[in-house]
Coordinates of all heavy atoms in Angstrom, one line a residue:
M1 N -5.0 10.8 -14.0 CA -4.8 11.4 -12.7 C -3.4 12.0 -12.7 O -2.4 11.3 -13.0 CB -4.9 10.3 -11.6 CG -4.9 10.8 -10.2 SD -4.7 9.5 -9.0 CE -5.7 8.2 -9.6
S2 N -3.2 13.2 -12.4 CA -1.9 13.8 -12.4 C -1.3 13.9 -11.0 O -0.1 14.2 -10.9 CB -1.9 15.2 -13.0 OG -2.8 16.0 -12.3
E3 N -2.2 13.7 -10.0 CA -1.7 13.8 -8.7 C -0.8 12.6 -8.3 O -1.0 11.5 -8.8 CB -3.0 13.6 -7.8 CG -3.0 14.5 -6.6 CD -4.4 14.3 -5.9 OE1 -5.4 13.9 -6.5 OE2 -4.4 14.6 -4.7
L4 N 0.3 12.9 -7.6 CA 1.2 11.9 -7.2 C 0.9 11.4 -5.8 O 0.6 12.3 -4.9 CB 2.6 12.4 -7.3 CG 3.1 12.7 -8.7 CD1 4.5 13.3 -8.6 CD2 3.1 11.5 -9.6
P5 N 1.1 10.2 -5.5 CA 0.9 9.7 -4.1 C 2.0 10.2 -3.2 O 3.1 10.4 -3.7 CB 0.8 8.2 -4.3 CG 1.6 7.9 -5.5 CD 1.4 9.1 -6.4
K6 N 1.7 10.3 -2.0 CA 2.7 10.6 -1.0 C 3.6 9.3 -0.7 O 3.0 8.2 -0.7 CB 2.1 11.1 0.3 CG 3.1 11.4 1.4 CD 2.4 11.8 2.7 CE 3.4 11.9 3.8 NZ 2.8 11.8 5.1
I7 N 4.9 9.5 -0.6 CA 5.7 8.3 -0.2 C 5.5 8.1 1.3 O 6.0 8.9 2.1 CB 7.2 8.6 -0.6 CG1 7.3 8.7 -2.1 CG2 8.1 7.5 0.0 CD1 8.7 9.2 -2.6
A8 N 4.8 7.1 1.6 CA 4.6 6.8 3.1 C 5.7 6.1 3.8 O 5.9 6.2 5.0 CB 3.3 6.0 3.2
G9 N 6.6 5.5 3.0 CA 7.7 4.8 3.6 C 8.6 4.3 2.4 O 8.1 4.1 1.3
R10 N 9.9 4.2 2.7 CA 10.8 3.8 1.7 C 11.2 2.3 1.8 O 12.2 1.8 1.2 CB 12.1 4.7 1.8 CG 11.7 6.1 1.3 CD 12.8 7.1 1.5 NE 12.4 8.3 0.9 CZ 12.7 8.8 -0.3 NH1 13.4 8.0 -1.1 NH2 12.2 9.9 -0.7
Q11 N 10.5 1.6 2.6 CA 10.6 0.1 2.7 C 9.2 -0.4 2.8 O 8.3 0.2 3.3 CB 11.3 -0.3 4.0 CG 12.8 0.2 4.1 CD 13.6 -0.6 3.1 OE1 13.4 -1.7 2.8 NE2 14.6 0.1 2.6
P12 N 9.0 -1.6 2.3 CA 7.6 -2.2 2.3 C 7.3 -2.5 3.8 O 8.1 -2.7 4.6 CB 7.8 -3.5 1.5 CG 9.2 -3.8 1.5 CD 9.9 -2.5 1.6
A13 N 6.0 -2.6 4.0 CA 5.5 -3.0 5.3 C 5.3 -4.5 5.3 O 4.6 -5.1 4.4 CB 4.2 -2.3 5.6
K14 N 5.8 -5.2 6.3 CA 5.6 -6.6 6.5 C 4.4 -6.8 7.3 O 4.4 -6.4 8.5 CB 6.8 -7.3 7.1 CG 8.0 -7.3 6.2 CD 9.1 -8.0 7.0 CE 10.4 -7.9 6.2 NZ 11.6 -8.4 6.9
V15 N 3.3 -7.4 6.8 CA 2.1 -7.6 7.5 C 1.6 -9.0 7.4 O 1.8 -9.7 6.4 CB 1.0 -6.6 7.1 CG1 1.4 -5.1 7.3 CG2 0.7 -6.7 5.6
M16 N 0.9 -9.4 8.5 CA 0.3 -10.8 8.5 C -1.1 -10.6 7.9 O -1.9 -9.8 8.4 CB 0.3 -11.4 9.9 CG 1.6 -11.7 10.4 SD 2.5 -13.0 9.5 CE 1.4 -14.4 9.9
L17 N -1.4 -11.4 6.9 CA -2.8 -11.4 6.4 C -3.5 -12.7 6.8 O -2.8 -13.8 6.9 CB -2.8 -11.3 4.9 CG -2.1 -10.0 4.3 CD1 -2.2 -10.0 2.8 CD2 -2.7 -8.7 4.9
E18 N -4.8 -12.7 6.9 CA -5.6 -13.9 7.1 C -6.4 -14.3 5.9 O -7.0 -13.4 5.3 CB -6.6 -13.6 8.2 CG -6.0 -13.5 9.6 CD -7.1 -13.1 10.6 OE1 -8.2 -13.7 10.6 OE2 -6.9 -12.2 11.4
E19 N -6.3 -15.5 5.5 CA -6.9 -16.0 4.4 C -8.4 -15.7 4.4 O -9.1 -15.9 5.4 CB -6.8 -17.6 4.3 CG -7.5 -18.2 3.1 CD -7.3 -19.7 3.0 OE1 -6.5 -20.2 3.8 OE2 -7.9 -20.3 2.1
G20 N -8.9 -15.2 3.3 CA -10.3 -14.9 3.2 C -10.8 -13.5 3.7 O -11.9 -13.1 3.5
K21 N -9.8 -12.8 4.4 CA -10.2 -11.5 5.0 C -9.9 -10.4 4.0 O -9.0 -10.5 3.2 CB -9.3 -11.3 6.2 CG -9.8 -10.1 7.1 CD -9.0 -10.1 8.4 CE -9.3 -8.8 9.1 NZ -8.5 -8.6 10.3
K22 N -10.8 -9.4 4.0 CA -10.7 -8.3 3.1 C -9.8 -7.2 3.7 O -10.0 -6.9 4.9 CB -12.0 -7.7 2.7 CG -12.7 -8.4 1.6 CD -13.9 -7.6 1.1 CE -14.6 -8.3 0.0 NZ -15.8 -7.7 -0.5
Y23 N -9.0 -6.6 2.9 CA -8.2 -5.5 3.3 C -8.3 -4.3 2.3 O -8.5 -4.6 1.1 CB -6.7 -5.9 3.4 CG -6.4 -7.0 4.4 CD1 -6.6 -8.4 4.0 CD2 -6.1 -6.7 5.7 CE1 -6.4 -9.4 4.9 CE2 -5.9 -7.7 6.6 CZ -6.0 -9.1 6.2 OH -5.8 -10.1 7.1
A24 N -8.1 -3.1 2.8 CA -8.1 -1.9 1.9 C -6.7 -1.3 2.0 O -6.3 -0.8 3.0 CB -9.2 -0.9 2.4
Y25 N -6.0 -1.5 0.9 CA -4.7 -1.0 0.8 C -4.7 0.5 0.4 O -5.3 0.9 -0.6 CB -3.9 -1.8 -0.3 CG -2.6 -1.2 -0.7 CD1 -1.5 -1.3 0.1 CD2 -2.5 -0.6 -2.0 CE1 -0.3 -0.7 -0.3 CE2 -1.3 0.0 -2.4 CZ -0.2 -0.1 -1.5 OH 1.0 0.4 -1.9
C26 N -3.9 1.3 1.1 CA -3.8 2.8 0.8 C -3.0 3.0 -0.4 O -1.8 2.6 -0.5 CB -3.2 3.5 2.0 SG -2.8 5.2 1.7
T27 N -3.5 3.7 -1.4 CA -2.8 4.1 -2.6 C -2.3 5.6 -2.5 O -1.5 6.0 -3.3 CB -3.6 3.9 -3.8 OG1 -4.8 4.7 -3.8 CG2 -4.0 2.5 -4.0
C28 N -2.9 6.4 -1.7 CA -2.6 7.8 -1.7 C -1.4 8.1 -0.8 O -0.7 9.2 -1.0 CB -3.8 8.6 -1.2 SG -4.1 8.5 0.6
G29 N -1.1 7.3 0.1 CA 0.1 7.5 1.0 C -0.2 8.4 2.2 O 0.7 8.6 3.0
L30 N -1.4 8.8 2.3 CA -1.8 9.8 3.4 C -2.2 9.1 4.7 O -2.3 9.7 5.8 CB -2.9 10.7 3.0 CG -2.5 11.6 1.8 CD1 -3.7 12.4 1.3 CD2 -1.4 12.6 2.1
S31 N -2.6 7.8 4.6 CA -3.1 7.1 5.8 C -2.1 7.1 6.9 O -0.9 6.9 6.6 CB -3.5 5.7 5.4 OG -3.8 5.0 6.6
E32 N -2.5 7.2 8.1 CA -1.6 7.1 9.2 C -1.6 5.6 9.8 O -1.1 5.3 10.8 CB -1.9 8.1 10.3 CG -1.6 9.5 9.9 CD -1.9 10.5 10.9 OE1 -2.3 10.2 12.0 OE2 -1.6 11.7 10.6
N33 N -2.3 4.8 9.0 CA -2.4 3.4 9.4 C -1.8 2.5 8.2 O -2.4 1.5 7.8 CB -3.9 3.0 9.6 CG -4.0 1.6 10.1 OD1 -3.2 1.1 10.9 ND2 -5.1 0.9 9.7
Q34 N -0.6 3.0 7.7 CA 0.0 2.3 6.6 C 0.3 0.8 6.9 O 0.6 0.5 8.1 CB 1.3 3.0 6.2 CG 1.2 4.3 5.6 CD 0.5 4.3 4.3 OE1 0.6 3.3 3.5 NE2 -0.3 5.3 4.0
P35 N 0.1 0.0 5.9 CA -0.2 0.3 4.5 C -1.6 0.3 4.2 O -2.0 0.2 3.0 CB 0.5 -0.9 3.8 CG 0.3 -2.1 4.7 CD 0.4 -1.5 6.1
F36 N -2.5 0.4 5.2 CA -3.9 0.3 5.0 C -4.6 1.7 5.0 O -4.1 2.6 5.6 CB -4.6 -0.6 6.0 CG -4.0 -2.0 6.0 CD1 -3.2 -2.5 7.1 CD2 -4.1 -2.8 4.9 CE1 -2.6 -3.7 7.1 CE2 -3.6 -4.1 4.9 CZ -2.8 -4.5 6.0
C37 N -5.7 1.7 4.3 CA -6.5 3.0 4.1 C -7.2 3.3 5.5 O -7.7 2.4 6.1 CB -7.6 2.7 3.1 SG -8.8 4.0 2.9
N38 N -7.2 4.6 5.8 CA -7.9 5.0 7.0 C -8.9 6.1 6.6 O -9.4 6.8 7.5 CB -7.0 5.5 8.1 CG -6.3 6.8 7.8 OD1 -6.4 7.3 6.6 ND2 -5.7 7.4 8.7
G39 N -9.1 6.3 5.3 CA -10.1 7.3 4.8 C -9.5 8.7 4.5 O -10.1 9.6 4.1
A40 N -8.1 8.8 4.7 CA -7.5 10.1 4.5 C -7.4 10.5 3.1 O -7.1 11.7 2.8 CB -6.1 10.0 5.1
H41 N -7.8 9.6 2.1 CA -7.8 9.9 0.7 C -8.9 10.8 0.3 O -9.0 11.3 -0.8 CB -7.8 8.6 -0.1 CG -9.0 7.8 0.1 ND1 -9.1 6.9 1.1 CD2 -10.2 7.9 -0.5 CE1 -10.4 6.3 1.0 NE2 -11.1 6.9 0.1
K42 N -9.9 11.0 1.2 CA -11.1 11.8 0.8 C -10.7 13.1 0.3 O -9.9 13.8 0.9 CB -12.0 11.9 2.0 CG -12.8 10.6 2.3 CD -14.0 10.8 3.2 CE -14.7 9.5 3.4 NZ -14.1 8.7 4.3
G43 N -11.2 13.5 -0.8 CA -10.9 14.8 -1.4 C -9.7 14.7 -2.4 O -9.4 15.7 -3.0
T44 N -9.1 13.6 -2.5 CA -8.0 13.4 -3.4 C -8.6 12.5 -4.6 O -9.7 12.1 -4.5 CB -6.8 12.6 -2.8 OG1 -7.1 11.3 -2.6 CG2 -6.4 13.2 -1.5
G45 N -7.8 12.3 -5.6 CA -8.2 11.5 -6.7 C -7.9 10.0 -6.4 O -8.1 9.2 -7.3
F46 N -7.5 9.6 -5.2 CA -7.1 8.3 -4.9 C -8.2 7.5 -4.3 O -9.0 8.1 -3.6 CB -5.9 8.2 -4.0 CG -4.6 8.8 -4.7 CD1 -4.3 10.1 -4.5 CD2 -3.8 8.0 -5.5 CE1 -3.1 10.6 -5.2 CE2 -2.7 8.5 -6.1 CZ -2.3 9.8 -5.9
N47 N -8.2 6.2 -4.5 CA -9.1 5.3 -3.8 C -8.3 4.1 -3.3 O -7.3 3.7 -4.0 CB -10.2 4.8 -4.7 CG -11.2 5.9 -4.9 OD1 -11.8 6.4 -3.9 ND2 -11.4 6.4 -6.1
P48 N -8.7 3.4 -2.3 CA -8.0 2.3 -1.8 C -8.2 1.1 -2.8 O -9.2 1.1 -3.5 CB -8.6 2.0 -0.4 CG -9.9 2.6 -0.5 CD -9.8 3.8 -1.4
I49 N -7.3 0.2 -2.7 CA -7.4 -1.1 -3.4 C -7.9 -2.1 -2.4 O -7.2 -2.4 -1.4 CB -6.1 -1.6 -4.1 CG1 -5.7 -0.7 -5.2 CG2 -6.2 -3.0 -4.6 CD1 -4.3 -1.0 -5.8
V50 N -9.1 -2.6 -2.6 CA -9.7 -3.6 -1.7 C -9.4 -5.0 -2.3 O -9.6 -5.3 -3.5 CB -11.2 -3.4 -1.6 CG1 -11.8 -4.5 -0.7 CG2 -11.5 -2.0 -1.0
F51 N -8.7 -5.8 -1.4 CA -8.4 -7.2 -1.9 C -8.7 -8.2 -0.8 O -8.8 -7.8 0.4 CB -6.9 -7.2 -2.3 CG -5.9 -7.0 -1.2 CD1 -5.3 -8.1 -0.6 CD2 -5.6 -5.8 -0.7 CE1 -4.4 -8.0 0.5 CE2 -4.7 -5.6 0.4 CZ -4.1 -6.7 0.9
T52 N -8.8 -9.4 -1.2 CA -9.0 -10.5 -0.2 C -7.8 -11.3 -0.2 O -7.2 -11.7 -1.2 CB -10.2 -11.4 -0.7 OG1 -11.4 -10.5 -0.8 CG2 -10.5 -12.5 0.3
A53 N -7.3 -11.6 1.0 CA -6.1 -12.4 1.2 C -6.3 -13.8 0.7 O -7.4 -14.4 1.1 CB -5.6 -12.4 2.6
E54 N -5.4 -14.4 -0.1 CA -5.6 -15.7 -0.6 C -5.1 -16.8 0.3 O -5.4 -18.0 0.2 CB -4.9 -15.8 -2.0 CG -5.7 -15.0 -3.0 CD -4.9 -14.9 -4.3 OE1 -3.8 -15.5 -4.5 OE2 -5.4 -14.3 -5.3
A55 N -4.3 -16.4 1.3 CA -3.7 -17.3 2.2 C -3.3 -16.6 3.5 O -3.1 -15.4 3.5 CB -2.4 -18.0 1.6
D56 N -3.1 -17.4 4.5 CA -2.6 -16.8 5.8 C -1.1 -16.6 5.5 O -0.4 -17.4 4.9 CB -2.7 -17.8 6.9 CG -4.1 -18.0 7.4 OD1 -4.9 -17.0 7.3 OD2 -4.5 -19.0 8.0
G57 N -0.5 -15.6 6.1 CA 0.9 -15.4 6.0 C 1.3 -14.0 5.9 O 0.5 -13.1 5.7
E58 N 2.7 -13.8 6.0 CA 3.3 -12.5 5.9 C 3.5 -12.1 4.5 O 4.0 -12.9 3.7 CB 4.6 -12.5 6.7 CG 5.2 -11.1 6.8 CD 6.5 -11.1 7.6 OE1 7.5 -11.4 7.0 OE2 6.4 -10.9 8.8
V59 N 3.2 -10.8 4.2 CA 3.4 -10.3 2.8 C 4.1 -8.9 3.0 O 4.0 -8.3 4.1 CB 2.1 -10.1 2.0 CG1 1.5 -11.5 1.7 CG2 1.1 -9.2 2.7
K60 N 4.7 -8.5 1.9 CA 5.3 -7.2 1.9 C 4.5 -6.3 1.1 O 4.3 -6.5 -0.1 CB 6.7 -7.2 1.3 CG 7.7 -7.9 2.2 CD 9.1 -7.9 1.6 CE 10.1 -8.7 2.4 NZ 11.4 -8.7 1.7
L61 N 3.9 -5.3 1.7 CA 3.0 -4.4 1.0 C 3.7 -3.0 0.8 O 4.4 -2.5 1.7 CB 1.7 -4.1 1.8 CG 0.8 -5.4 2.0 CD1 -0.5 -5.0 2.6 CD2 0.6 -6.2 0.7
C62 N 3.6 -2.5 -0.4 CA 4.3 -1.3 -0.8 C 3.9 -0.1 0.0 O 2.7 0.2 0.3 CB 3.9 -1.0 -2.3 SG 4.6 0.6 -2.9
Q63 N 4.9 0.7 0.5 CA 4.6 1.9 1.2 C 5.1 3.1 0.4 O 4.7 4.3 0.7 CB 5.3 1.9 2.5 CG 4.7 0.9 3.5 CD 5.0 1.1 4.9 OE1 4.1 1.6 5.6 NE2 6.2 0.9 5.3
C64 N 6.0 2.9 -0.6 CA 6.5 4.0 -1.4 C 5.4 4.4 -2.4 O 5.5 5.5 -3.0 CB 7.8 3.8 -2.0 SG 7.8 2.6 -3.5
K65 N 4.5 3.5 -2.7 CA 3.3 3.8 -3.6 C 3.7 3.9 -5.0 O 3.0 4.4 -5.9 CB 2.5 5.0 -3.2 CG 2.1 5.1 -1.7 CD 1.3 3.8 -1.2 CE 1.0 3.9 0.3 NZ 0.4 2.7 0.8
Q66 N 4.9 3.4 -5.4 CA 5.4 3.4 -6.8 C 5.3 2.0 -7.4 O 5.6 1.9 -8.6 CB 6.8 3.9 -6.8 CG 7.1 5.1 -6.1 CD 6.3 6.3 -6.5 OE1 6.3 6.6 -7.7 NE2 5.6 7.0 -5.6
T67 N 4.9 1.0 -6.6 CA 4.8 -0.4 -7.2 C 3.9 -0.5 -8.4 O 2.9 0.2 -8.4 CB 4.4 -1.4 -6.1 OG1 4.4 -2.7 -6.6 CG2 3.0 -1.1 -5.5
Q68 N 4.3 -1.3 -9.3 CA 3.4 -1.6 -10.4 C 2.6 -2.9 -10.1 O 1.8 -3.4 -11.0 CB 4.3 -1.9 -11.7 CG 5.1 -0.7 -12.1 CD 4.2 0.6 -12.4 OE1 3.4 0.5 -13.3 NE2 4.5 1.7 -11.7
S69 N 2.8 -3.5 -8.9 CA 2.1 -4.7 -8.6 C 1.3 -4.5 -7.3 O 1.2 -5.4 -6.4 CB 3.1 -5.8 -8.3 OG 3.9 -6.0 -9.4
A70 N 0.7 -3.3 -7.1 CA -0.1 -3.0 -5.9 C -1.1 -4.1 -5.6 O -1.7 -4.6 -6.5 CB -0.8 -1.7 -6.1
P71 N -1.2 -4.5 -4.3 CA -0.6 -3.8 -3.2 C 0.8 -4.3 -2.8 O 1.4 -3.8 -1.9 CB -1.6 -4.1 -2.0 CG -2.1 -5.5 -2.4 CD -2.2 -5.5 -3.9
R72 N 1.3 -5.2 -3.5 CA 2.6 -5.8 -3.1 C 3.8 -5.0 -3.6 O 3.8 -4.3 -4.6 CB 2.7 -7.2 -3.7 CG 1.8 -8.2 -3.1 CD 1.9 -9.6 -3.7 NE 0.9 -10.5 -3.1 CZ 1.2 -11.4 -2.2 NH1 2.4 -11.5 -1.8 NH2 0.3 -12.1 -1.7
C73 N 4.8 -5.1 -2.8 CA 6.1 -4.4 -3.1 C 6.7 -5.1 -4.3 O 6.7 -6.3 -4.4 CB 7.0 -4.6 -1.9 SG 8.7 -4.1 -2.3
D74 N 7.2 -4.3 -5.3 CA 7.9 -4.9 -6.4 C 9.3 -4.4 -6.5 O 10.0 -4.5 -7.5 CB 7.1 -4.7 -7.7 CG 7.1 -3.2 -8.1 OD1 7.6 -2.4 -7.4 OD2 6.6 -2.9 -9.2
G75 N 9.8 -3.8 -5.4 CA 11.2 -3.3 -5.4 C 11.4 -1.9 -5.9 O 12.5 -1.4 -5.9
Q76 N 10.3 -1.2 -6.3 CA 10.4 0.2 -6.8 C 11.0 1.1 -5.8 O 11.6 2.1 -6.2 CB 9.0 0.7 -7.2 CG 8.5 0.2 -8.5 CD 9.3 0.6 -9.7 OE1 9.8 1.7 -9.8 NE2 9.5 -0.3 -10.6
H77 N 10.9 0.8 -4.5 CA 11.5 1.7 -3.5 C 13.0 1.9 -3.7 O 13.6 2.8 -3.2 CB 11.2 1.3 -2.1 CG 11.6 -0.1 -1.7 ND1 10.9 -1.2 -2.0 CD2 12.8 -0.5 -1.1 CE1 11.6 -2.3 -1.6 NE2 12.7 -1.9 -1.1
N78 N 13.6 0.9 -4.3 CA 15.1 0.9 -4.6 C 15.4 1.9 -5.7 O 16.6 2.3 -5.8 CB 15.6 -0.4 -5.0 CG 15.5 -1.4 -3.8 OD1 15.9 -1.1 -2.7 ND2 15.0 -2.6 -4.1
C79 N 14.4 2.4 -6.4 CA 14.6 3.3 -7.5 C 14.3 4.8 -7.1 O 14.4 5.7 -8.0 CB 13.8 2.9 -8.7 SG 14.1 1.3 -9.3
L80 N 13.9 5.0 -5.9 CA 13.5 6.3 -5.5 C 14.7 7.2 -5.4 O 15.8 6.8 -4.9 CB 12.8 6.3 -4.1 CG 11.5 5.6 -4.0 CD1 11.0 5.5 -2.6 CD2 10.4 6.3 -4.8
E81 N 14.5 8.5 -5.8 CA 15.6 9.4 -5.5 C 15.6 9.9 -4.1 O 14.5 9.9 -3.5 CB 15.5 10.6 -6.5 CG 15.7 10.2 -7.9 CD 15.5 11.3 -8.9 OE1 15.6 12.5 -8.5 OE2 15.4 11.0 -10.1
S82 N 16.7 10.2 -3.5 CA 16.7 10.6 -2.1 C 16.2 12.0 -1.9 O 16.0 12.8 -2.8 CB 18.0 10.4 -1.5 OG 19.0 11.0 -2.3
Ligands
LIG1 S1 -6.1 6.7 3.0 FE1 -4.9 6.4 1.3 S2 -6.2 5.3 -0.1 FE2 -7.4 5.7 1.7

């Protein structure tokens, strides 16, 4: 895939997840419901990452879409050029 994702934000989103609940994480950056997929990826080469929360609690999900540990933030936003 040569297409690059849109940088949806330069800080991770802090979201509360519920154990056992499924979430669809946006990888394209086009969703207006960041960090979650809203179907805006249609027609692109991107697809959401569907995952099940392993525990209740707050997590930081990547919005710059450069993380190597999707859907979680791995600090890559600190490496973005301005
Ligand atoms: S809207 Fe971005 S992956 Fe679905």
Side-chain angles (χ1 to χ4, degrees):
M1 188 190 325
S2 59
E3 221 174 338
L4 294 174
K6 179 184 169 197
I7 295 171
R10 289 173 178 266
Q11 294 292 325
K14 291 180 189 171
V15 295
M16 291 295 296
L17 301 183
E18 284 177 47
E19 181 179 353
K21 191 172 171 185
K22 275 191 179 177
Y23 297 88
Y25 167 74
C26 170
T27 60
C28 72
L30 298 174
S31 172
E32 292 184 359
N33 186 35
Q34 291 296 327
F36 302 113
C37 172
N38 73 349
H41 62 271
K42 285 196 177 77
T44 72
F46 294 94
N47 285 301
I49 293 174
V50 177
F51 67 99
T52 303
E54 292 174 358
D56 288 334
E58 187 178 82
V59 295
K60 291 181 182 175
L61 299 186
C62 174
Q63 296 200 100
C64 75
K65 311 302 177 185
Q66 311 300 308
T67 181
Q68 300 298 304
S69 305
R72 291 178 183 259
C73 169
D74 69 355
Q76 285 292 323
H77 60 275
N78 292 314
C79 302
L80 295 174
E81 293 179 16
S82 51

